[in-house]
Amino acid sequence: TATTSAKIHVNGVDLHYQQTGEGSHAVLLLPGMLGSGQTDFGPQLKSMNKQLFTVVAWDPRGYGKSIPPSRDFPPDFFERDAKDAVDLMQALKFKKFSLLGWSDGGITALIAAAKYPNLIHKLVVWGANASVTQEDVRIYNGIRDVSKWSEKVKKPLEELYGYKYFAETCEAWVDGISRFAENSDGNICQQLLPDIKCPTFIIHGEKDPLVPQAHAEYIHKHIKGSRLLLMPEGKHNLHLRFAEDFNREVENFLR
């Protein structure tokens, strides 16, 4: 089936999304920092089962094609994204849906699942964290300067945004997320994890250079009945690098 690409007005902004499949189970894909459906979820939009699922990938405000507005990082930016994501799906007339969140999108998905339990069917997160440690801040500062990124990772984002917006937004993100380290326990959404009641699947790449494994273990421990899968060769982008394995695991969980 074809993939449609459109915008819909939600919470005062025009949010861009892509949609494919005609299955009765609706699934929202939530991208990571600077991400969009196009850059972050190619293999999922292409290969997830179109008979079982209706797959929606969104661009959060200020990212991808959901510009304007420019992206900013107020203290509640994850809550804002969670509300936007849920309201987008409701505007598209999905009564209940599952969330697949990567990295920042995983944090957004955790918050959405905790705050809107009646709307969320199942939850899958990978590369996510519920708090920010001093070690994390050190890792984030290591990626602050996008000119040092590998060409492969840098190129699609530079094409999407232009160099200036890409570089400035990355710096603003590092500052925005690092502020959580000042909270007690570096808290982002730790207190919300016990409120997540839907079936939850946490995937973590054991070679993830950006998110230490302790984060995945913490989320697993605090969401009752959740399942944790460790991928020995997986890095941060395990859903792209091992797309076939990832899609199979996730589809089996969502069935």
Side-chain angles (χ1 to χ4, degrees):
T1 55
T3 300
T4 57
S5 183
K7 283 189 169 184
I8 190 163
H9 196 71
V10 176
N11 298 331
V13 294
D14 292 318
L15 294 175
H16 178 263
Y17 68 96
Q18 290 163 281
Q19 183 174 329
T20 185
E22 58 240 322
S24 58
H25 189 155
V27 174
L28 176 66
L29 307 176
L30 298 96
M33 175 262 277
L34 280 162
S36 64
Q38 173 196 331
T39 54
D40 287 14
F41 294 117
Q44 284 69 45
L45 286 163
K46 182 167 169 254
S47 304
M48 276 185 77
N49 188 316
K50 307 287 194 287
Q51 279 68 51
L52 288 179
F53 304 106
T54 296
V55 181
V56 178
W58 81 309
D59 299 358
R61 61 171 73 201
Y63 284 163
K65 293 177 181 163
S66 296
I67 302 173
S70 292
R71 183 70 184 185
D72 62 350
F73 300 93
D76 67 342
F77 73 91
F78 284 118
E79 279 84 2
R80 181 181 68 183
D81 283 351
K83 184 167 171 32
D84 282 350
V86 164
D87 291 350
L88 165 80
M89 291 300 275
Q90 294 205 286
L92 295 175
K93 303 284 183 268
F94 295 109
K95 289 187 172 64
K96 208 165 178 173
F97 45 92
S98 291
L99 301 174
L100 268 66
W102 176 39
S103 199
D104 268 19
I107 301 171
T108 301
L110 291 167
I111 292 169
K115 288 194 162 183
Y116 309 96
N118 300 337
L119 301 175
I120 311 306
H121 185 41
K122 292 185 176 183
L123 171 66
V124 182
V125 297
W126 65 104
N129 45 301
S131 64
V132 174
T133 66
Q134 289 306 322
E135 163 72 356
D136 296 326
V137 173
R138 193 185 61 72
I139 294 170
Y140 302 148
N141 278 303
I143 62 165
R144 173 188 285 276
D145 179 356
V146 299
S147 69
K148 297 187 175 132
W149 289 23
S150 78
E151 205 48 50
K152 194 170 156 227
V153 180
K154 191 164 59 174
K155 196 164 179 272
L157 292 168
E158 216 172 313
E159 282 169 4
L160 181 59
Y161 293 116
Y163 185 79
K164 185 173 186 284
Y165 188 90
F166 168 39
E168 287 174 358
T169 306
C170 181
E171 288 190 10
W173 175 83
V174 171
D175 292 338
I177 197 158
S178 296
R179 276 199 297 269
F180 288 103
E182 296 159 19
N183 294 346
S184 153
D185 292 335
N187 181 45
I188 302 174
C189 62
Q190 290 170 319
Q191 76 291 356
L192 292 176
L193 300 181
D195 295 342
I196 297 174
K197 303 293 187 242
C198 65
T200 300
F201 186 19
I202 301 139
I203 305 173
H204 191 77
E206 292 190 38
K207 293 185 175 173
D208 189 332
L210 290 174
V211 180
Q213 191 169 311
H215 285 301
E217 288 166 352
Y218 181 93
I219 294 168
H220 172 47
K221 187 178 161 193
H222 290 86
I223 300 178
K224 202 177 171 187
S226 63
R227 196 179 136 209
L228 174 63
L229 172 70
L230 298 175
M231 292 177 70
E233 294 303 312
K235 293 188 180 172
H236 196 59
N237 65 345
L238 55 85
H239 66 297
L240 302 176
R241 177 85 199 285
F242 301 106
E244 213 172 298
D245 293 349
F246 174 87
N247 288 0
R248 187 182 60 247
E249 289 283 354
V250 166
E251 287 187 5
N252 287 340
F253 170 76
L254 292 175
R255 276 172 205 269

